[in-house]
């Protein structure tokens, strides 16, 4: 994927990335929301037949096709607005199909397409994206704040100190900027992070990531994995997703070396109660930090 047209459109996509989920309903925001299809418009004007054929091929075959890249941006935008949105592979596929359809329609238009044709295309594409957002958010689009915390706060909440943290460390849901991971590394502690909003090697979904076995001295998860585990456990329709969290939790416990510790916040007492204490030493704690009560737990592997 190298067409300058698409590159330029991707850069412009940052304008709508500032929108809140709740803003996509009003007229002004709809226009901004439809900005990504600018690339469609320019593609129609500038792409010759050979280029058009190449783009169609790419769309089917490549994970870095224009629609795959725009889908990735769109998914990231959704997750930044609300990290709890269910963006499973099927939903991602639906988003990419929407971009594919818009793109194919643009490529089918020839250079004599009228302004009305183009406006219609952009409007339809914007509407398709909007109705996807309505489906994904269950009709109640609303931003849910998901902050990144300073390393000092994360360590304090987790009941850890720089002197007590042993590497290698795996930080689950480390945040887009992996602040704790970088902080630990700068003090010479081997540390790795995973987050589905991160780039490169750190990008992973914590439900499918393989942490290995007997590998980590410390695993941390501050306002991330267990926050979501609680969310799914307490849902009225808790089911497969809550079980997937329980299974992943056990994978992370067995990824600890013997004597290693999983430190996370918030606590998950409904799950901790099930762990045999002769095998897993669980130490739940409640602290008041900056006037807010936070719960966290450290589980140490004993066998
Ligand atoms: C509230 S932030 C906390 C980040 C960091 N631990 C901190 O305290 O600064 C939660 C993070 O979990 C990540 N996250 C949410 N669901 C995830 C998933 N299924 N797999 C990986 N990361 C996920 C989000 O992208 C977000 O960066």
């Amino acid at each position: 994927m190298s067409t300058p047209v698409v590159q330029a459109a991707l850069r412009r996509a940052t304008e709508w990335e500032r929108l809140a989920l709740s803003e996509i309903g009003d007229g002004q925001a709809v226009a901004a929301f439809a900005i990504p299809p600018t690339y469609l418009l320019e593609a129609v004007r500038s792409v010759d037949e050979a280029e058009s054929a190449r783009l169609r091929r790419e769309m089917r075959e490549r994970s870095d096709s224009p629609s795959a890249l725009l889908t990735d941006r769109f998914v990231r935008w959704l997750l930044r607005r609300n990290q709890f949105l269910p963006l499973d592979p099927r939903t991602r596929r639906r988003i990419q199909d929407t971009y594919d359809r818009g793109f194919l329609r643009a490529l089918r238009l020839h250079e004599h397409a009228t302004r009305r044709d183009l406006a219609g295309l952009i409007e339809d594409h914007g509407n398709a994206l909007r109705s996807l957002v309505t489906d994904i958010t269950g009709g109640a689009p609303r931003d849910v704040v998901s902050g990144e915390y300073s390393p000092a706060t994360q360590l304090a909440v987790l009941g850890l100190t720089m002197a007590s943290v042993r590497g290698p460390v795996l930080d689950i849901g480390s945040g887009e900027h992996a602040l704790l991971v970088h902080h630990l590394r700068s003090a010479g502690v081997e540390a790795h992070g995973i987050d589905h909003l991160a780039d490169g090697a750190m990008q992973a979904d914590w439900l499918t990531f393989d942490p290995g076995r007997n590998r980590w001295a410390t695993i941390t998860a501050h306002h991330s994995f267990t926050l979501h585990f609680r969310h799914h456990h307490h849902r009225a329709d808790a089911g497969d997703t809550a079980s997937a969290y329980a299974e992943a939790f056990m994978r992370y416990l067995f990824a600890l070396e013997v004597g290693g510790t999983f430190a996370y916040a918030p606590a998950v007492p409904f799950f901790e109660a099930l762990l045999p204490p002769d095998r897993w030493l669980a130490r739940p704690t409640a602290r008041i930090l900056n006037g807010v009560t936070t719960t966290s737990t450290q589980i140490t592997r004993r066998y």
Side-chain angles (χ1 to χ4, degrees):
M1 199 291 298
S2 59
T3 52
V5 167
V6 177
Q7 302 277 10
L10 282 173
R11 275 198 299 279
R12 247 170 280 147
T14 56
E15 290 173 30
W16 61 268
E17 281 179 355
R18 278 193 283 275
L19 287 177
L21 272 178
S22 54
E23 278 178 293
I24 60 164
D26 75 44
Q28 198 193 347
V30 172
F33 200 57
I35 282 174
T38 308
Y39 75 92
L40 301 175
L41 193 135
E42 292 183 26
V44 175
R45 294 208 178 112
S46 66
V47 167
D48 62 19
E49 228 163 83
E51 176 74 346
S52 164
R54 191 176 70 79
L55 284 169
R56 280 166 203 253
R57 227 181 14 257
E58 264 191 0
M59 238 160 47
R60 283 194 308 272
E61 293 164 6
R62 295 179 56 154
S63 60
D64 63 349
S65 71
S67 39
L69 289 175
L70 285 164
T71 299
D72 188 55
R73 301 277 296 247
F74 190 67
V75 166
R76 281 164 181 263
W77 173 72
L78 287 167
L79 288 174
R80 279 197 200 100
R81 321 270 36 127
N82 180 349
Q83 56 163 321
F84 294 103
L85 291 178
L87 285 154
D88 52 32
R90 228 183 92 245
T91 309
R92 284 172 194 248
R93 190 62 246 171
R94 275 183 68 201
I95 296 171
Q96 190 162 339
D97 285 347
T98 303
Y99 276 107
D100 278 352
R101 264 197 304 279
F103 205 44
L104 278 174
R105 202 174 136 193
L107 290 174
R108 273 198 303 270
L109 290 177
H110 50 73
E111 58 185 26
H112 304 300
T114 64
R115 290 186 77 82
R116 241 173 99 188
D117 292 336
L118 295 170
L121 190 159
I122 287 173
E123 196 183 327
D124 290 351
H125 183 67
N127 285 340
L129 290 179
R130 262 190 314 129
S131 76
L132 268 175
V133 171
T134 306
D135 282 0
I136 293 167
T137 57
R142 166 173 82 81
D143 285 22
V144 174
V145 178
S146 155
E148 281 191 79
Y149 298 81
S150 72
T153 300
Q154 296 191 51
L155 290 169
V157 170
L158 297 173
L160 300 170
T161 60
M162 283 307 277
S164 70
V165 178
R166 286 192 304 120
V169 176
L170 173 66
D171 189 26
I172 312 174
S174 43
E176 231 176 323
H177 304 100
L179 299 178
L180 182 59
V181 170
H182 292 300
H183 186 68
L184 290 167
R185 284 182 186 167
S186 69
V189 179
E190 182 187 342
H192 303 264
I194 56 160
D195 195 294
H196 62 180
L197 282 181
D199 287 319
M202 288 196 194
Q203 185 177 35
D205 188 307
W206 55 45
L207 286 183
T208 49
F209 178 72
D210 177 5
R213 280 177 90 90
N214 312 318
R215 168 151 176 27
W216 307 95
T218 309
I219 299 181
T220 51
H222 178 260
H223 280 219
S224 52
F225 180 77
T226 51
L227 186 68
H228 285 240
F229 190 5
R230 281 167 72 115
H231 171 80
H232 289 290
H233 174 75
H234 291 299
R235 279 170 66 116
D237 58 348
D240 292 352
T241 312
S243 326
Y245 271 86
E247 279 167 29
F249 198 108
M250 290 314 296
R251 266 201 305 282
Y252 288 114
L253 285 182
F254 281 107
L256 289 169
E257 58 189 33
V258 175
T261 296
F262 182 15
Y264 54 84
V268 281
F270 57 87
F271 191 77
E272 288 151 19
L274 305 175
L275 296 170
D278 56 328
R279 298 180 166 206
W280 307 102
L281 173 65
R283 282 160 297 165
T285 313
R287 295 183 183 77
I288 300 179
L289 290 167
N290 302 326
V292 180
T293 305
T294 56
T295 61
S296 68
T297 300
Q298 293 189 2
I299 296 186
T300 300
R301 181 173 181 182
R302 293 181 126 160
Y303 76 116

